[in-house]
Amino acid sequence: MRLMFAASCFVLLAACGAPTQTAEPTPEEMGQDEPGAPMEPAPAPRPVTFEAMSKTAEAFTGAITLSVEPRPGPNAAPRMKIVGANGLTFITELLPGAAEQASLINWKEIFGEDVVVSGNAPPGAPSIDMHSVIQEDVPGTALNGGFCGKDTPTSFIAMATGLDSVGQKYMSIAAFKGDAWPPTSADVLCGTFNYIPPAAPL
């Protein structure tokens, strides 16, 4: 019985007496990174699909799916991908502060209500994010072309969120043409496209 007990103590070191000398576990074995190792980036949000609400949205894209694109570098602006049900695709880059710079654009007239153009919108208030379009792919299935039509590339988009129409929350995309932002005139607007966000989980 004593021999069996001694053997058990050898296997289960913590069960009997003083522990034997063992090597310290490495940080990797403990599930830790080495000192100074870069932190792993947080996983990208899942793609989100918005249903077409306005007739222009139905005609130009149908439902759209928004997803986060990898940044080309650690200091690069966030990028986003927009894919329409008809295959129309945009890759955009965020332009912080760009909506506020566009003094010639009447945002209330475009979106139908007051929107916050600065970066300090109160929670739930309608607000705008500006994006430059760095890639626009218009397949043959996109019969009306891109947001600015068949012959004019889309250069910039303003995404207004938190808008409300008779109790229905929605997002609106205003598309702009032109080579520079802020624009030097107000006639660069191509159109607006309204979408219904997915229902919040119960």
Side-chain angles (χ1 to χ4, degrees):
M1 178 68 70
R2 184 180 297 272
L3 182 61
M4 291 178 61
F5 183 74
S8 298
C9 287
F10 183 80
V11 176
L12 304 175
L13 297 175
C16 306
T20 61
Q21 191 71 24
T22 59
E24 289 291 329
T26 65
E28 290 81 1
E29 291 172 338
M30 295 290 290
Q32 302 173 2
D33 292 330
E34 293 182 1
M39 295 181 63
E40 292 187 7
R46 292 182 178 180
V48 179
T49 298
F50 292 71
E51 296 298 328
M53 176 181 176
S54 63
K55 291 183 178 180
T56 52
E58 291 176 355
F60 278 77
T61 62
I64 58 172
T65 299
L66 277 57
S67 58
V68 175
E69 283 285 285
R71 300 189 190 192
N75 298 319
R79 291 188 172 188
M80 178 180 64
K81 187 175 186 178
I82 305 172
V83 181
N86 60 1
L88 179 63
T89 301
F90 301 89
I91 296 178
T92 72
E93 190 169 85
L94 183 66
L95 295 175
E100 193 172 11
Q101 296 169 3
S103 58
L104 297 179
I105 301 297
N106 187 332
W107 295 113
K108 182 176 181 179
E109 184 177 282
I110 290 175
F111 293 120
E113 59 183 283
D114 289 320
V115 289
V116 178
V117 297
S118 67
N120 300 313
S127 60
I128 299 175
D129 283 333
M130 283 296 306
H131 300 253
S132 63
V133 177
I134 59 177
Q135 183 177 329
E136 179 180 25
D137 296 325
V138 184
T141 49
L143 301 181
N144 292 306
F147 281 147
C148 288
K150 294 181 178 180
D151 302 320
T152 303
T154 307
S155 300
F156 304 94
I157 63 172
M159 300 185 68
T161 56
L163 301 173
D164 186 282
S165 175
V166 197
Q168 173 64 65
K169 293 293 185 181
Y170 69 99
M171 174 189 72
S172 186
I173 294 177
F176 298 88
K177 59 187 176 182
D179 298 327
W181 193 271
T184 56
S185 69
D187 62 358
V188 292
L189 176 67
C190 297
T192 56
F193 309 83
N194 300 339
Y195 301 89
I196 300 174
L202 299 177

